Amino acid sequence: MTELITAVEAVDVRFPTSRKLDGSDAMNPEPDYSAAYVTVRTSAGAEGYGLAFTVGRGNEVEVAAIRALAPLVVGLPVEEVLADLGGFSRRLTGDSQLRWLGPEKGAIHMAAAAVVNAVWDLYGRRTGKPVWRLLAELSPEQLVDLVDFRYLQDALTRDEALEILRRAEPGRARRTAHLLEHGYPAYTTTPGWLGYDDEKLVRLSKEAVAEGFGQIKLKVGADREADVRRMRLAREAVGPDVRIAVDANQAWGVRQAIDWMAALTPYDPYWIEEPTSPDDILGHAAIRRALAPVKVATGEHTHNQVMFKQLLQAGALDVLQLDASRTAGVTENVAVLLLAAKFGVPVCPHAGGVGLCEMVQHLAMFDYVAVSGTTEDRVIEYVDHLHGHFTDPVRIRDGRYLAPIAPGIGAELHPRSLEDHRYPDGPVWAAEAGG
């Protein structure tokens, strides 16, 4: 009998990270890291898992958006979906009525990401491969079939994408072996949350260097004097050879970003991340011109491949920070990686959160093996929160991500974690409500 998708389930899962200010920054001072958690089930008993990451309130909106997409998915033959994942993605992002809520942005687009990633997880489990390897073993023709070139052709054509992939194809096996042996470079944001005191900042910065990280990141943007002090302390703690990135999380206007960063440049910041509104492409370009050689990094809140195209065309960023669940999941991120390769811009994915490290490592590793062919000036963000809740958590050694070997994309939560942190009736939240 034909195997069908029989269910798309969404659960509101939240972790009370605000209690210790883990994840705190200038725009999100007390986040509760959360996931709109998706399970795709089939008539043969197979399952795939994905999620959309949020920071607390509003996670219920994301769950509702996923449930709104479910009727587009339930009843589809699994083999047909997996044979045309580009078409499946367009089915979700191009629905003539739901698309109106974006188009291709916001809660409905992130819901599509959660479902798309769950289907890629299902695909990986079906083939017995981690998603990075599944992607890296597809032919160039299969990979470009994932991409919707309609709005990209003025920057990247199908033929150009094929050429990028074919150029990288001969080295795939060698790079796969290297990745499995050595892993992928990482940097850590763990020392730099804005709510941490100076002692904790210094202690965690020194620990990060001792653990092999060659780059750390500090949150900035709430208090200029405090930022200068924290940047000085961090530089003293790690020495001159460790890169320190800073992240304003959209706190500034264009002129304010330029002026504020002038106070931090004596301490050699490597990049400034999200210095202004993530939608302000020309503002990012102006900041980049003013701050060079300090790099400008952005992308974790970039809605879709068209915005990435414009950021690249405008020369508005030095570092592209794609996200596993902001754009429409694995499928759209293949297009983003190809755009970055066309423009020669390194990709340093956004991670942290709930499950983002677990998922986004697959995209960076696929990029290394089958697209850009390099890890030069490329690092994946890492934070040490919440990994123990996942059945296949990230593995870090000597400041590097070790390549996943388990099938799928790594987004499956342990059943106990799911039940404990279900909002609002899970024990963790019921206990808090009870005082």
Side-chain angles (χ1 to χ4, degrees), residues 29 79 261 297 311-312 357 360:
E79 290 293 343
M261 284 301 297
L311 284 161
L312 292 163
C357 294
V360 84

Side-chain angles (χ1 to χ4, degrees), residues 316-385:
L317 77 173
D318 299 285
V319 178
L320 188 150
Q321 296 176 303
L322 58 76
D323 181 274
S325 70
R326 175 69 59 178
T327 57
V330 169
T331 309
E332 188 171 20
N333 272 316
V334 170
V336 175
L337 290 168
L338 287 165
L339 282 164
K342 163 70 183 298
F343 284 84
V345 172
V347 175
C348 297
H350 169 245
V354 180
L356 296 184
C357 294
E358 279 72 17
M359 293 190 297
V360 84
Q361 62 182 330
H362 292 270
L363 299 171
M365 292 175 187
F366 158 65
D367 175 68
Y368 168 57
V369 173
V371 185
S372 70
T374 182
T375 60
E376 184 177 358
D377 287 333
R378 288 161 165 80
V379 279
I380 307 171
E381 185 175 18
Y382 173 74
V383 301
D384 60 358
H385 307 139

Side-chain angles (χ1 to χ4, degrees), residues 49-63:
Y49 305 93
L51 59 84
F53 168 63
T54 76
V55 293
R57 289 185 296 276
N59 201 46
E60 72 280 5
V61 176
E62 198 59 61
V63 168

